[in-house]
Amino acid sequence: MAEQKAAEAATYNEVSGSAAAGVVVQTGSVSGGIHVHGSPRPAVVPRQLPAAPARFTGRGCELDRLTAVLEEGSDAGPTVVVSAIGGTGGVGKTSLALRWAHEHLERFPDGQLHINLHGFDPVSKPVPAETAVRAFLDALGVAPGLIPLDPGAQAALYRSLLVGKRILIVLDNARDTPQVTPLLPGTSTCTVLVTSRNHLTGLIARGAHLIDLDILADGEDRMLLSRHLGEDRIAAEPRAVTELLAHCAGLPLALSIVAARAGCQPALPLAVLAEELHEATERLDALNGGDLDTDLRVVMICSLQALGRAAADAFRLLALAPGPDISLPAAASITATSPAKTRQLLRELEIAHLVHQYIPGRYRMHDLVRLFAAERARQDLAQQDCTMALRRLIDFYLHSAHAGSQIIYPHKEPRIILEPPLQGVSQYPLTDVESALHWFDAEHPCLLATHNFAIRERLHLQVYQLAWSLDTFHERRHHAQEQFSAWQAGLMAARCLGSSSFQIEADRRLGNACSRLGKHTEAFNYLEQALTLANATADLPSQALTHISLGAVWGEQGDERRALGHSLSALVLYESLHQWPKVAHALNNAGYSYAKLGDYEQAQSCCSQALTLARHHGNHPVEANTLHSLGYIAHRTGLHARALRYFEEALAMYRVNGDSYAEAEALEDIGSVWAVLAHLDQARLMWRESLMLYTAQRRNTEAARVQHQLSVPPPVPDAVTALIHTYGVPPEIAARVVRTWRLPTQPVEARTPLSDLTA
């Protein structure tokens, strides 16, 4: 009992008196006028910022944004202003933070705290938050004996000391939000700058402002190199400088390493450095400044080591993809994971600033980051794993493109049959023409890169199948050069495979592409080869298809009689094969040739039958082309209002079908009808739209023709337009009256009696 009372007495010691201050060692109840004073410590104003970065270049927008965030925060109430500067390793996050800090020292008269948290460091481990807090307490002048032992109490003391003070706190190279949170003050008078390779999502959720740092803007990379080496040395070797800038791809650390190496050897030509960087496999070796902080490969290894295993493997595999970027389903295929899981992995890589979702659903890597990731893939993964990943990616693009082609043109012949995709390949949901064309537009660079990869790997079957699957899209969007290149490889693959049917199709498609490129001699050569082989193998469907193509090329050459002969040959073959959607195609082609030859009655008959068949069998591309032909016939026979309806209906279908090649022609023809009807403003509107498409499609002859129509002065109204505007005669009647009764085409005065016009 006595021991218990003694313990209680020790627990409840008291100090009382008129004044009690300073350090007290309390052993019991003390009372009276007590004055105990410790040695006073001088006030400490911490000045911990490292030196401002030398030769800092650019980043004007980011500096202004940091200032704006601070000024906005001062009006937002009692909330600490936190700016988180994020970006990949070597992009200049620390330099930006220090540059801004030194430019605004006057805003923080009570000092600046700085600590490198070593979140991504090749040697040191990340600094624990409690270690950083203790370091800040020391910097703020707190005596060691007054620092509590409990980390939470230390953090509370740290926040208390900052109350009311205008201090800048720079937390450099943070690993994650938990490392940073205990270092945040609780007062609005302080400002915090945090740099990290990770998106500090938790910090941002608590109100921090994100400054996402990208590569240097155009021109800033050259300016940085010039500040290191001098303008004279830069100007002396412009070609080498251009190559150096391209290989460094706007990454400040890479540029600084190159500048440092060049600066150490003033007599070394920059062309020698450019040559070292030229080979992708040796580029990272050249970007080594001689220590851990200036070795780009080491900087990136730190980011890789911070990833989870699955994300690290995905990072390596994604770098192997041939295209300039990658979509979520393609990434899921190359990694053989579900789209949901892939989204999580990509999010982890985004947080680490190793990939960038630059538009929704599409991801890309910085060139040097990708080079590093591909190097790690070759070193860290089994070759078989890399090979299978790329085969899955090829299967993804091939099967998706094949499905899209079938949606855009279901009646395309001859068909090809694909083997089932490898396990792990995702399917892209293409449901209609619009979604299919949108997918092709987005994926076109990746599809071409994948096709080229298959060519290099001598995957002959996939090379041919990709050329086939891309062909309809290439026609609709008038990618004639890409169509030609794809089928050049497709023909070589067909020969390697020893398939006569593949060779016929490749020759025919090459002929079509040459025709669109204006290479008519080559077009005829390829098409004659196709027809000869089709005849030799008794391949009737291929014979018919080749006749269709030959008819089109002769028509473009202006020889409508030969064009008609090939169209009629195709018609007979398709009728014998009972391929009625194709019969519609041949009928329309024949009808258009008849119209060009002036036999409008026969033309009308062929095209009317073609339209009926096309609509019955749902052959929408042929339906649109036939409407266009009927519009041409009506226009040539003076039925301008009817021609306008046909052309506009064809135009609407071309747009639904995504056929911008034919859309340009329809717009030009609609403009011509409006011009005949003397609606010149409407005509010019159509011609301008047509001209934009022709120009984009590099169809120079057609563009020049429309440009001429736009530049000539308004035509003088002829007899037709005079009847329409002067006497209110309907356009169709006016045109027929003039044609039948041969009215004069010279200008007609408003006062001319109608009886004189018809005399």
Side-chain angles (χ1 to χ4, degrees):
M1 182 65 73
E3 293 175 356
Q4 182 179 354
K5 289 182 177 180
E8 291 175 354
T11 302
Y12 297 103
N13 290 337
E14 296 178 359
V15 177
S16 63
S18 59
V23 179
V24 177
V25 178
Q26 187 177 346
T27 59
S29 298
V30 182
S31 61
I34 301 164
H35 300 268
V36 183
H37 298 278
S39 299
R41 291 177 63 87
V44 175
V45 178
R47 306 289 186 188
Q48 292 190 319
L49 283 182
R55 304 182 183 90
F56 183 88
T57 302
R59 306 302 194 191
C61 292
E62 290 83 358
L63 290 168
D64 291 344
R65 179 61 184 147
L66 285 169
T67 303
V69 166
L70 178 61
E71 292 172 349
E72 291 167 6
S74 63
D75 300 328
T79 302
V80 62
V81 176
V82 181
S83 293
I85 304 173
T88 191
V91 80
K93 302 178 292 296
T94 299
S95 294
L96 176 65
L98 293 178
R99 174 67 174 221
W100 185 88
H102 279 280
E103 286 183 350
H104 295 84
L105 289 178
E106 75 284 352
R107 294 175 180 262
F108 309 104
D110 297 317
Q112 305 89 38
L113 295 171
H114 175 276
I115 189 168
N116 184 350
L117 295 172
H118 295 291
F120 301 87
D121 193 282
V123 177
S124 304
K125 293 182 179 180
V127 176
E130 53 267 24
T131 301
V133 168
R134 176 59 190 260
F136 280 166
L137 290 175
D138 290 338
L140 290 167
V142 180
L146 295 180
I147 297 177
L149 297 178
D150 178 63
Q154 290 180 11
L157 177 59
Y158 162 69
R159 290 192 295 272
S160 298
L161 292 172
L162 296 179
V163 171
K165 293 186 176 180
R166 296 168 62 190
I167 289 180
L168 174 66
I169 303 157
V170 180
L171 308 176
D172 194 21
N173 199 12
R175 179 65 169 257
D176 51 31
T177 299
Q179 188 186 25
V180 170
T181 302
L183 306 177
L184 300 181
T187 175
S188 62
T189 58
C190 292
T191 296
V192 181
L193 287 182
V194 186
T195 73
S196 179
R197 297 187 196 181
N198 277 338
H199 277 291
L200 303 179
T201 308
L203 204 60
I204 296 168
R206 297 173 58 174
H209 301 268
L210 175 63
I211 306 293
D212 216 350
L213 206 56
D214 204 348
I215 59 175
L216 290 172
D218 289 343
E220 292 181 348
D221 51 356
R222 189 186 188 283
M223 188 184 302
L224 178 59
L225 204 60
S226 176
R227 288 183 176 178
H228 277 280
L229 302 179
E231 184 59 38
D232 290 344
R233 193 172 179 188
I234 293 295
E237 296 185 75
R239 183 173 180 179
V241 168
T242 299
E243 291 183 23
L244 288 173
L245 296 178
H247 296 322
C248 292
L251 192 68
L253 178 59
L255 289 161
S256 298
I257 293 170
V258 167
R261 290 193 57 197
C264 291
Q265 298 172 283
L268 182 71
L270 296 180
V272 175
L273 275 176
E275 182 62 27
E276 282 190 50
L277 291 170
H278 182 72
E279 290 298 327
T281 54
E282 301 174 4
R283 192 168 302 156
L284 293 178
D285 294 329
L287 292 173
N288 181 353
D291 56 56
L292 294 179
D293 290 335
T294 58
D295 186 334
L296 190 61
R297 184 182 280 109
V298 171
V299 169
M300 294 181 182
I301 286 174
C302 296
S303 294
L304 178 62
Q305 291 174 340
L307 297 173
R309 180 172 180 176
D313 286 344
F315 174 63
R316 296 179 178 97
L317 290 175
L318 289 170
L320 300 177
D325 61 2
I326 197 164
S327 64
L328 176 63
S333 297
I334 201 171
T335 58
T337 54
S338 68
K341 176 63 175 176
T342 304
R343 185 179 283 108
Q344 294 176 7
L345 297 175
L346 288 167
R347 178 58 183 155
E348 186 174 345
L349 296 177
E350 272 193 283
I351 288 172
H353 285 96
L354 292 174
V355 302
H356 174 46
Q357 188 177 189
Y358 69 104
I359 57 175
R362 300 202 70 83
Y363 302 81
R364 65 185 176 195
M365 293 180 180
H366 183 275
D367 291 349
L368 293 173
V369 173
R370 181 171 183 172
L371 194 63
F372 166 75
E375 178 183 273
R376 299 310 306 181
R378 290 188 293 270
Q379 294 178 6
D380 301 342
L381 302 178
Q383 183 176 353
Q384 179 66 14
D385 292 339
C386 295
T387 300
M388 292 305 295
L390 286 166
R391 292 297 298 273
R392 287 193 300 270
L393 186 66
I394 292 173
D395 270 7
F396 165 76
Y397 284 124
L398 174 57
H399 282 263
S400 299
H402 182 263
S405 179
Q406 295 290 85
I407 289 172
I408 296 171
Y409 189 18
H411 300 281
K412 182 178 179 179
E413 296 288 349
R415 296 177 181 272
I416 58 173
I417 300 175
L418 306 182
E419 292 292 327
L422 293 173
Q423 186 175 0
V425 174
S426 293
Q427 297 295 316
Y428 194 87
L430 301 174
T431 56
D432 52 27
V433 172
E434 183 178 4
S435 66
L437 288 170
H438 177 76
W439 181 84
F440 273 113
D441 285 330
E443 294 286 5
H444 192 223
C446 295
L447 286 161
L448 294 179
T450 301
H451 195 219
N452 288 331
F453 173 78
I455 294 168
R456 293 194 301 272
E457 295 298 309
R458 300 181 65 82
L459 302 173
H460 302 307
L461 183 59
Q462 288 86 345
V463 168
Y464 178 85
Q465 291 173 334
L466 278 167
W468 188 96
S469 299
L470 284 165
D471 192 70
T472 300
F473 171 73
H474 282 159
E475 282 197 351
R476 296 289 174 87
R477 292 294 198 244
H478 191 62
H479 294 304
Q481 186 57 56
E482 291 83 354
Q483 182 185 28
F484 176 76
S485 299
W487 277 115
Q488 271 191 317
L491 179 58
M492 293 299 296
R495 289 171 177 167
C496 291
L497 292 167
S499 169
S500 60
S501 62
F502 284 5
Q503 290 181 60
I504 294 168
E505 180 68 357
D507 273 322
R508 190 178 70 83
R509 296 290 180 178
L510 273 169
N512 292 344
C514 286
S515 178
R516 289 197 166 191
L517 289 169
K519 302 176 180 180
H520 294 106
T521 300
E522 292 180 47
F524 285 124
N525 290 337
Y526 282 119
L527 291 172
E528 291 297 342
Q529 286 176 197
L531 188 58
T532 298
L533 187 53
N535 289 336
T537 56
D539 186 342
L540 298 184
S542 293
Q543 291 176 29
L545 281 168
T546 309
H547 279 299
I548 289 287
S549 296
L550 279 165
V553 178
W554 280 118
E556 289 177 6
Q557 289 286 85
D559 193 334
E560 292 298 341
R561 294 189 182 280
R562 288 193 181 184
L564 178 60
H566 283 291
S567 297
L568 294 176
S569 297
L571 176 61
V572 171
L573 286 166
Y574 281 134
E575 284 178 332
S576 69
L577 294 167
H578 303 290
Q579 293 186 1
W580 304 115
K582 296 295 184 180
V583 167
H585 191 175
L587 275 170
N588 172 59
N589 287 14
Y592 189 72
S593 291
Y594 276 125
K596 285 283 190 175
L597 292 167
D599 191 343
Y600 298 115
E601 184 177 354
Q602 192 72 356
Q604 182 73 33
S605 175
C606 287
C607 291
S608 296
Q609 293 178 76
L611 185 62
T612 301
L613 278 172
R615 285 175 169 170
H616 178 75
H617 293 281
N619 194 337
H620 300 304
V622 171
E623 179 184 354
N625 289 337
T626 306
L627 287 166
H628 199 153
S629 298
L630 287 166
Y632 176 81
I633 296 166
H635 185 37
R636 297 296 294 178
T637 55
L639 304 176
H640 304 301
R642 183 180 299 177
L644 199 58
R645 290 196 296 271
Y646 279 134
F647 283 145
E648 288 179 342
E649 193 174 350
L651 176 64
M653 293 195 71
Y654 289 145
R655 286 173 170 167
V656 170
N657 295 338
D659 192 344
S660 57
Y661 185 89
E663 179 185 350
E665 296 173 346
L667 285 165
E668 181 185 0
D669 287 337
I670 292 172
S672 298
V673 176
W674 281 122
V676 168
L677 296 177
H679 290 277
L680 300 179
D681 290 341
Q682 192 69 18
R684 288 199 173 97
L685 178 63
M686 297 295 104
W687 284 335
R688 279 192 288 269
E689 290 187 40
S690 176
L691 179 61
M692 286 193 297
L693 286 175
Y694 282 143
T695 303
Q697 295 165 8
R698 301 188 294 275
R699 297 166 69 180
N700 298 329
T701 301
E702 292 88 340
R705 183 177 64 230
V706 174
Q707 184 65 62
H708 174 72
Q709 290 172 316
L710 285 166
S711 61
V712 297
V716 179
D718 60 11
V720 175
T721 53
L723 286 174
I724 294 169
H725 292 285
T726 306
Y727 302 103
V729 177
E732 293 183 28
I733 295 175
R736 186 173 292 276
V737 166
V738 171
R739 184 179 69 256
T740 303
W741 297 99
R742 299 179 182 177
L743 296 186
T745 57
Q746 67 269 22
V748 180
E749 297 296 334
R751 62 179 180 275
T752 304
L754 182 58
S755 58
D756 291 347
L757 288 174
T758 57

